[in-house]
Amino acid sequence: MQITPSNLGSYVALAAMMVATVGCTGGSKPDAAGGGGDSSGGLVKLQGAGASFPALLYGAWFKTYSNEHDNVQVDYQSVGSGSGVSAVIDGTVDFGASDAAMTEEEMAKVERGVQLLPMTAGAIVIAYNLEGVEDLKLSRDTYAGIFLKEITKWNDPKIAATNEGVELPDEDINVVVRSDSSGTTYNFTKHLAAISEKFDSEVGVNKAPNWPVGTKSKGNEGVTTSLNQTPGSIGYVEYGFAEKTGLSMASLENKAGKYIKPSIESAQAALAAVEFPPSLIAFLPDPEGEDSWPIVTYTWIIAYKTYDDAEKMEAFKELIKYCLTTGQESSQELGYIPLPEAVTAKVTAALDNISAK
């Protein structure tokens, strides 16, 4: 689809629909006893749900894999990280997905055990809709202040100070935040808490915080649509969604004091020094480096360590191997960061922790 201002909303809606129906032919519902779908009649059905952050990429991966494997049908629902984690705990899916990984407390609720598998990485950007402003620069104090409701006008002196020569309107800033329990929100608030003591104490790190400001939209898809349709708005969204729909993205001050444009390269610079522990869970709330984008995250697929159905377990492992190899080749064109070989090797090895009863 050629993306134009007139069809931006349609593009996001189509992306959301594609993600929600990847591989679906029969509309199977999750089975609380053993996860979603079944493997009867030679067709293995894999039901997943969770993060919207990687939804564009997962949609492309799962659709291509299902098309190339007649015996495997993958259905992924982009419902937010919090719902993905809950679905794994409830046992209503074959796999979940989250940008906030899982806590030890959450993992303890899953009798079959869980294995977290980092699949890709990306940047969270601050996107805006402000006519005539093509290159907005925001200091750390400024963008933290916007989400604390301390800065409420576009021509506030703190915004003007880093945008000399830019005509900023005397208009209210319409802040857009997520309405659902979100890994994108978790990582965004983790960054804001790292750079602002006030944000840390008054709002804190949370998948669904009590924001002091903002209209709410569901998923990265919903925030993207709201920003495109609402002049004077600002919000946080995954880079791929902003890039594919032509949203304006602010340059942000990083830890080194440099104003950085969001890009695959600046996100890769931020993630270059990450070392994964045996749990394969790592966060980087405020990365070092002069060329580093300040808000980055990995995102995980959540598997069970034990599956009741051996055929389903094998199909899931093969799907993950595809995503870690061939699938990585399409990451960058969709706005995500391909995993380094050292990371994909660790994730592939972790598949040995998954077995069938």
Side-chain angles (χ1 to χ4, degrees):
M1 178 185 292
Q2 179 66 36
I3 305 169
T4 66
S6 63
N7 69 8
L8 288 170
S10 297
Y11 177 88
V12 175
L14 176 62
M17 182 174 66
M18 177 189 74
V19 170
T21 60
V22 166
C24 288
T25 58
S28 61
K29 295 182 179 180
D31 180 334
D38 57 42
S39 56
S40 59
L43 176 64
V44 179
K45 300 178 182 178
L46 296 172
Q47 175 79 45
S52 69
F53 180 95
L56 292 175
L57 184 60
Y58 287 0
W61 282 353
F62 299 159
K63 182 176 183 179
T64 300
Y65 191 84
S66 294
N67 288 342
E68 293 178 356
H69 298 78
D70 293 339
N71 64 322
V72 179
Q73 177 180 303
V74 187
D75 180 5
Y76 180 75
Q77 303 291 326
S78 173
V79 293
S81 294
S83 294
V85 169
S86 295
V88 169
I89 293 172
D90 295 340
T92 58
V93 291
D94 297 310
F95 65 93
S98 177
D99 316 317
M102 285 180 82
T103 66
E104 292 291 337
E105 183 181 5
E106 289 169 337
M107 293 182 196
K109 296 177 181 179
V110 184
E111 292 184 4
R112 291 190 281 164
V114 292
Q115 176 62 58
L116 271 71
L117 306 166
M119 300 305 297
T120 191
I124 298 170
V125 303
I126 294 179
Y128 64 95
N129 182 340
L130 198 59
E131 186 177 357
V133 179
E134 296 182 0
D135 186 16
L136 183 70
K137 295 182 177 68
L138 298 176
S139 70
R140 290 151 78 85
D141 285 345
T142 299
Y143 64 83
I146 289 172
F147 286 90
L148 280 167
K149 203 180 179 179
E150 293 179 338
I151 297 174
T152 60
K153 292 283 188 179
W154 277 111
N155 63 347
D156 185 280
K158 285 191 175 181
I159 300 179
T162 55
N163 293 277
E164 187 176 352
V166 177
E167 189 173 341
L168 297 166
D170 182 16
E171 295 177 2
D172 291 339
I173 300 173
N174 179 52
V175 179
V176 181
V177 298
R178 289 281 290 271
S179 63
D180 52 324
S181 181
S182 158
T184 303
T185 299
Y186 178 86
N187 285 285
F188 186 59
T189 58
K190 198 172 183 70
H191 170 73
L192 291 179
I195 68 170
S196 167
E197 290 184 6
K198 185 173 182 179
F199 188 93
D200 189 26
S201 62
E202 294 187 5
V203 181
V205 181
N206 205 300
K207 294 177 188 175
N210 184 20
W211 291 104
V213 66
T215 57
K216 296 183 177 181
S217 291
K218 185 176 181 181
N220 276 281
E221 303 93 337
V223 173
T224 301
T225 300
S226 293
L227 290 171
N228 273 313
Q229 294 177 348
T230 312
S233 61
I234 194 168
Y236 59 95
V237 69
E238 192 276 323
Y239 172 76
F241 283 88
E243 177 73 9
K244 291 297 178 184
T245 56
L247 277 171
S248 297
M249 293 175 268
S251 296
L252 301 183
E253 183 187 11
N254 66 12
K255 192 172 186 177
K258 304 291 186 180
Y259 285 86
I260 303 295
K261 291 181 179 293
S263 67
I264 295 296
E265 292 73 23
S266 61
Q268 285 175 323
L271 292 163
V274 173
E275 288 289 338
F276 275 104
S279 67
L280 297 181
I281 299 173
F283 294 104
L284 202 63
D286 192 20
E288 305 278 353
E290 290 196 357
D291 299 321
S292 295
W293 180 250
I295 319 173
V296 292
T297 181
Y298 283 94
T299 188
W300 293 263
I301 277 180
I302 307 167
Y304 296 102
K305 284 191 173 180
T306 304
Y307 285 84
D308 296 334
D309 186 325
E311 192 175 4
K312 180 176 287 189
M313 181 270 294
E314 288 295 340
F316 172 76
K317 285 187 176 184
E318 290 304 312
L319 171 66
I320 297 300
K321 289 176 183 177
Y322 165 83
C323 296
L324 292 172
T325 53
T326 303
Q328 295 296 313
E329 297 172 5
S330 60
S331 297
Q332 188 162 333
E333 65 185 84
L334 290 173
Y336 298 86
I337 302 170
L339 297 179
E341 288 186 12
V343 177
T344 59
K346 287 184 178 182
V347 181
T348 302
L351 293 175
D352 291 339
N353 297 330
I354 300 171
S355 61
K357 289 183 178 179

